């Protein structure tokens, strides 16, 4: 243990070294009077030593500079492409490599479609917007859509016409998407603290997708349990942030929405209903980028295919202005609608 790194007074550091205390555990596991006898320090110096040791023990990682934090959140330009140039322009290249991105929307809006698309995009080399690794897809409510993943894999040459067919055929997409099903918060936390770090350390994955983040929290907590729910939510988000920063890995959390009613100016008039992402402000404060996807009126046809129109919106992000882009869902994946 390098006692010089704790910022202690020289006299305290010298006394600790003379007493041959070699770890934080040795300091924290004895009483203050015993530590005073061992080191010969005054009571106030012993309290300062204990406080510094406790702070160092609680610190999961060393402090980082503002520049390092910016780089860990994709400030150096690192992005995970959507695979669609139109959507990449909306997101200035794609998902930030560091940080948690939320994709919220109603059922059928296309959230899972885009999540699967990222699972394939991450496997491409960096020169094609990928990270050259696999993805961990954590399902918390519905079974994993394996057939849709296979369809997207077989249509990658259509979505990515600028990539050589030989490169696409060399990527065994399904072999590098790791699937976990978690039925409760305990199994979700076990997956994130045990299995996910192992896959990330082995460089087997460079993307984590949670689909959906709200399902388990809504099932396990009633309205009166908001305090415990928020505690669990903060523990969950802290784990995600740690994994993202430790392994320079983008995290995509797919979220449900909840109705928000607003009364019209006429108090006797009808209320209008909109939707907002679930889990409230406690969760919103943990998110680096918030995206919303919803259906809008209109249908687009292309050959023998047709797609309901969607809209992908940037709600907030430190590097993006609030904006949106219409999109469609085809056999090959989600595409942005180009400008006319």
């Amino acid at each position: 243990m390098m006692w010089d790194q704790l910022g202690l007074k020289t006299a305290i550091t010298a006394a600790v070294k003379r007493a041959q205390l070699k770890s934080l555990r040795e300091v924290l596991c004895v009483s203050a009077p015993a530590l005073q006898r061992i080191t010969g320090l005054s009571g106030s110096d012993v309290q300062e030593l204990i406080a510094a040791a406790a702070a160092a023990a609680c610190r999961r990682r060393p402090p980082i500079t503002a520049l390092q934090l910016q780089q860990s959140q994709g400030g150096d330009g690192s992005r995970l492409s959507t695979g669609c140039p139109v959507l990449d322009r909306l997101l200035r290249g794609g998902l930030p490599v560091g940080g948690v991105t939320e994709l919220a929307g109603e059922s059928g809006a296309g959230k899972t479609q885009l999540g699967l698309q990222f699972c394939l995009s991450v496997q491409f080399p960096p020169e094609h917007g990928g990270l050259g690794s696999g993805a961990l897809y954590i399902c918390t409510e519905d079974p994993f859509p394996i057939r849709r993943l296979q369809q997207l894999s077989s249509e990658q040459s259509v979505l990515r016409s600028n990539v050589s067919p030989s490169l696409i055929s060399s990527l065994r997409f399904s072999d590098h998407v790791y699937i976990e099903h978690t039925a409760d918060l305990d199994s979700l936390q076990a997956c994130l603290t045990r299995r996910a770090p192992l896959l990330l350390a082995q460089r087997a994955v460079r993307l984590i997708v949670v689909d959906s983040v709200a399902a388990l929290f809504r099932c396990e907590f009633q309205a009166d349990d908001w305090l415990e729910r928020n505690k669990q939510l903060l523990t969950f988000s802290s784990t995600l942030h740690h994994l993202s920063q430790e392994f320079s890995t983008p995290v995509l959390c797919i979220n449900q929405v909840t109705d928000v009613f607003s009364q019209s100016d006429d108090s006797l008039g009808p209320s209008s209903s909109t939707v907002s992402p679930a889990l409230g402000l406690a969760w919103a404060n943990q998110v680096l980028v918030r995206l919303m996807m919803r259906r809008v009126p209109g249908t687009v046809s292309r050959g023998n295919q047709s797609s309901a129109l969607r809209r992908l919106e940037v709600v907030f992000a430190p590097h993006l202005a609030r904006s949106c882009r219409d999109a469609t869902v085809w056999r090959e994946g989600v595409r942005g609608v180009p400008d006319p």
Side-chain angles (χ1 to χ4, degrees), residues 257-273:
V257 293
T258 184
D259 287 330
V260 177
F261 294 93
S262 59
Q263 193 73 29
S264 65
D265 293 338
D266 179 1
S267 60
L268 299 178
S271 297
S272 61
S273 173

PDB file of all heavy atoms in Angstrom, residues 257-273:
ATOM      1  N   VAL A 257     -42.778   3.514 -21.479  1.00  0.00           N
ATOM      2  CA  VAL A 257     -43.267   4.877 -21.254  1.00  0.00           C
ATOM      3  C   VAL A 257     -44.497   4.825 -20.361  1.00  0.00           C
ATOM      4  O   VAL A 257     -45.127   3.779 -20.185  1.00  0.00           O
ATOM      5  CB  VAL A 257     -43.617   5.599 -22.574  1.00  0.00           C
ATOM      6  CG1 VAL A 257     -42.377   5.855 -23.401  1.00  0.00           C
ATOM      7  CG2 VAL A 257     -44.651   4.803 -23.378  1.00  0.00           C
ATOM      8  N   THR A 258     -44.826   5.973 -19.799  1.00  0.00           N
ATOM      9  CA  THR A 258     -46.010   6.102 -18.960  1.00  0.00           C
ATOM     10  C   THR A 258     -46.808   7.301 -19.435  1.00  0.00           C
ATOM     11  O   THR A 258     -46.253   8.264 -19.977  1.00  0.00           O
ATOM     12  CB  THR A 258     -45.617   6.266 -17.481  1.00  0.00           C
ATOM     13  OG1 THR A 258     -46.794   6.298 -16.672  1.00  0.00           O
ATOM     14  CG2 THR A 258     -44.806   7.541 -17.261  1.00  0.00           C
ATOM     15  N   ASP A 259     -48.118   7.235 -19.260  1.00  0.00           N
ATOM     16  CA  ASP A 259     -48.980   8.341 -19.694  1.00  0.00           C
ATOM     17  C   ASP A 259     -48.808   9.553 -18.791  1.00  0.00           C
ATOM     18  O   ASP A 259     -48.665   9.430 -17.571  1.00  0.00           O
ATOM     19  CB  ASP A 259     -50.454   7.923 -19.675  1.00  0.00           C
ATOM     20  CG  ASP A 259     -50.783   6.970 -20.815  1.00  0.00           C
ATOM     21  OD1 ASP A 259     -50.137   7.084 -21.864  1.00  0.00           O
ATOM     22  OD2 ASP A 259     -51.681   6.127 -20.645  1.00  0.00           O
ATOM     23  N   VAL A 260     -48.808  10.733 -19.406  1.00  0.00           N
ATOM     24  CA  VAL A 260     -48.800  12.000 -18.671  1.00  0.00           C
ATOM     25  C   VAL A 260     -50.001  12.795 -19.139  1.00  0.00           C
ATOM     26  O   VAL A 260     -50.150  13.071 -20.337  1.00  0.00           O
ATOM     27  CB  VAL A 260     -47.502  12.791 -18.929  1.00  0.00           C
ATOM     28  CG1 VAL A 260     -47.562  14.136 -18.212  1.00  0.00           C
ATOM     29  CG2 VAL A 260     -46.297  11.995 -18.465  1.00  0.00           C
ATOM     30  N   PHE A 261     -50.880  13.159 -18.203  1.00  0.00           N
ATOM     31  CA  PHE A 261     -52.100  13.880 -18.555  1.00  0.00           C
ATOM     32  C   PHE A 261     -51.957  15.354 -18.194  1.00  0.00           C
ATOM     33  O   PHE A 261     -51.449  15.701 -17.129  1.00  0.00           O
ATOM     34  CB  PHE A 261     -53.305  13.293 -17.811  1.00  0.00           C
ATOM     35  CG  PHE A 261     -53.636  11.900 -18.228  1.00  0.00           C
ATOM     36  CD1 PHE A 261     -53.122  10.818 -17.538  1.00  0.00           C
ATOM     37  CD2 PHE A 261     -54.445  11.663 -19.331  1.00  0.00           C
ATOM     38  CE1 PHE A 261     -53.414   9.522 -17.918  1.00  0.00           C
ATOM     39  CE2 PHE A 261     -54.738  10.374 -19.725  1.00  0.00           C
ATOM     40  CZ  PHE A 261     -54.233   9.298 -19.015  1.00  0.00           C
ATOM     41  N   SER A 262     -52.365  16.220 -19.091  1.00  0.00           N
ATOM     42  CA  SER A 262     -52.339  17.663 -18.823  1.00  0.00           C
ATOM     43  C   SER A 262     -53.713  18.241 -19.092  1.00  0.00           C
ATOM     44  O   SER A 262     -54.341  17.945 -20.122  1.00  0.00           O
ATOM     45  CB  SER A 262     -51.285  18.348 -19.697  1.00  0.00           C
ATOM     46  OG  SER A 262     -51.561  18.134 -21.067  1.00  0.00           O
ATOM     47  N   GLN A 263     -54.185  19.043 -18.161  1.00  0.00           N
ATOM     48  CA  GLN A 263     -55.522  19.644 -18.295  1.00  0.00           C
ATOM     49  C   GLN A 263     -55.464  20.807 -19.291  1.00  0.00           C
ATOM     50  O   GLN A 263     -54.472  21.544 -19.354  1.00  0.00           O
ATOM     51  CB  GLN A 263     -56.006  20.151 -16.933  1.00  0.00           C
ATOM     52  CG  GLN A 263     -57.479  20.505 -16.889  1.00  0.00           C
ATOM     53  CD  GLN A 263     -58.357  19.254 -16.906  1.00  0.00           C
ATOM     54  OE1 GLN A 263     -57.958  18.211 -16.432  1.00  0.00           O
ATOM     55  NE2 GLN A 263     -59.544  19.376 -17.475  1.00  0.00           N
ATOM     56  N   SER A 264     -56.480  20.966 -20.067  1.00  0.00           N
ATOM     57  CA  SER A 264     -56.561  22.080 -20.997  1.00  0.00           C
ATOM     58  C   SER A 264     -56.776  23.382 -20.233  1.00  0.00           C
ATOM     59  O   SER A 264     -57.074  23.391 -19.035  1.00  0.00           O
ATOM     60  CB  SER A 264     -57.706  21.863 -21.997  1.00  0.00           C
ATOM     61  OG  SER A 264     -58.944  21.871 -21.309  1.00  0.00           O
ATOM     62  N   ASP A 265     -56.622  24.505 -20.909  1.00  0.00           N
ATOM     63  CA  ASP A 265     -56.816  25.812 -20.273  1.00  0.00           C
ATOM     64  C   ASP A 265     -58.205  25.932 -19.659  1.00  0.00           C
ATOM     65  O   ASP A 265     -58.398  26.545 -18.616  1.00  0.00           O
ATOM     66  CB  ASP A 265     -56.591  26.937 -21.280  1.00  0.00           C
ATOM     67  CG  ASP A 265     -55.135  27.007 -21.723  1.00  0.00           C
ATOM     68  OD1 ASP A 265     -54.273  26.498 -20.973  1.00  0.00           O
ATOM     69  OD2 ASP A 265     -54.889  27.566 -22.814  1.00  0.00           O
ATOM     70  N   ASP A 266     -59.176  25.353 -20.329  1.00  0.00           N
ATOM     71  CA  ASP A 266     -60.525  25.323 -19.772  1.00  0.00           C
ATOM     72  C   ASP A 266     -60.600  24.161 -18.788  1.00  0.00           C
ATOM     73  O   ASP A 266     -60.508  23.005 -19.162  1.00  0.00           O
ATOM     74  CB  ASP A 266     -61.540  25.125 -20.911  1.00  0.00           C
ATOM     75  CG  ASP A 266     -62.970  25.066 -20.395  1.00  0.00           C
ATOM     76  OD1 ASP A 266     -63.163  25.207 -19.168  1.00  0.00           O
ATOM     77  OD2 ASP A 266     -63.870  24.880 -21.238  1.00  0.00           O
ATOM     78  N   SER A 267     -60.761  24.477 -17.506  1.00  0.00           N
ATOM     79  CA  SER A 267     -60.709  23.423 -16.484  1.00  0.00           C
ATOM     80  C   SER A 267     -61.795  22.378 -16.667  1.00  0.00           C
ATOM     81  O   SER A 267     -61.706  21.285 -16.124  1.00  0.00           O
ATOM     82  CB  SER A 267     -60.819  24.043 -15.081  1.00  0.00           C
ATOM     83  OG  SER A 267     -62.049  24.744 -14.964  1.00  0.00           O
ATOM     84  N   LEU A 268     -62.849  22.732 -17.423  1.00  0.00           N
ATOM     85  CA  LEU A 268     -63.921  21.771 -17.654  1.00  0.00           C
ATOM     86  C   LEU A 268     -63.699  20.977 -18.937  1.00  0.00           C
ATOM     87  O   LEU A 268     -64.461  20.070 -19.253  1.00  0.00           O
ATOM     88  CB  LEU A 268     -65.274  22.495 -17.729  1.00  0.00           C
ATOM     89  CG  LEU A 268     -65.687  23.258 -16.456  1.00  0.00           C
ATOM     90  CD1 LEU A 268     -67.030  23.957 -16.691  1.00  0.00           C
ATOM     91  CD2 LEU A 268     -65.778  22.309 -15.261  1.00  0.00           C
ATOM     92  N   GLY A 269     -62.667  21.343 -19.671  1.00  0.00           N
ATOM     93  CA  GLY A 269     -62.407  20.666 -20.936  1.00  0.00           C
ATOM     94  C   GLY A 269     -61.678  19.353 -20.732  1.00  0.00           C
ATOM     95  O   GLY A 269     -61.276  18.996 -19.628  1.00  0.00           O
ATOM     96  N   PRO A 270     -61.498  18.591 -21.811  1.00  0.00           N
ATOM     97  CA  PRO A 270     -60.851  17.276 -21.707  1.00  0.00           C
ATOM     98  C   PRO A 270     -59.347  17.411 -21.455  1.00  0.00           C
ATOM     99  O   PRO A 270     -58.741  18.436 -21.741  1.00  0.00           O
ATOM    100  CB  PRO A 270     -61.121  16.659 -23.091  1.00  0.00           C
ATOM    101  CG  PRO A 270     -61.256  17.849 -24.004  1.00  0.00           C
ATOM    102  CD  PRO A 270     -61.896  18.930 -23.180  1.00  0.00           C
ATOM    103  N   SER A 271     -58.779  16.346 -20.902  1.00  0.00           N
ATOM    104  CA  SER A 271     -57.336  16.293 -20.689  1.00  0.00           C
ATOM    105  C   SER A 271     -56.674  15.667 -21.905  1.00  0.00           C
ATOM    106  O   SER A 271     -57.222  14.766 -22.536  1.00  0.00           O
ATOM    107  CB  SER A 271     -57.001  15.455 -19.448  1.00  0.00           C
ATOM    108  OG  SER A 271     -57.539  16.056 -18.294  1.00  0.00           O
ATOM    109  N   SER A 272     -55.486  16.150 -22.244  1.00  0.00           N
ATOM    110  CA  SER A 272     -54.714  15.549 -23.324  1.00  0.00           C
ATOM    111  C   SER A 272     -53.675  14.624 -22.724  1.00  0.00           C
ATOM    112  O   SER A 272     -53.177  14.863 -21.620  1.00  0.00           O
ATOM    113  CB  SER A 272     -54.027  16.636 -24.158  1.00  0.00           C
ATOM    114  OG  SER A 272     -53.137  17.374 -23.350  1.00  0.00           O
ATOM    115  N   SER A 273     -53.359  13.551 -23.423  1.00  0.00           N
ATOM    116  CA  SER A 273     -52.429  12.554 -22.910  1.00  0.00           C
ATOM    117  C   SER A 273     -51.194  12.482 -23.796  1.00  0.00           C
ATOM    118  O   SER A 273     -51.297  12.413 -25.015  1.00  0.00           O
ATOM    119  CB  SER A 273     -53.104  11.178 -22.852  1.00  0.00           C
ATOM    120  OG  SER A 273     -52.169  10.186 -22.503  1.00  0.00           O
TER     121      SER A 273
END
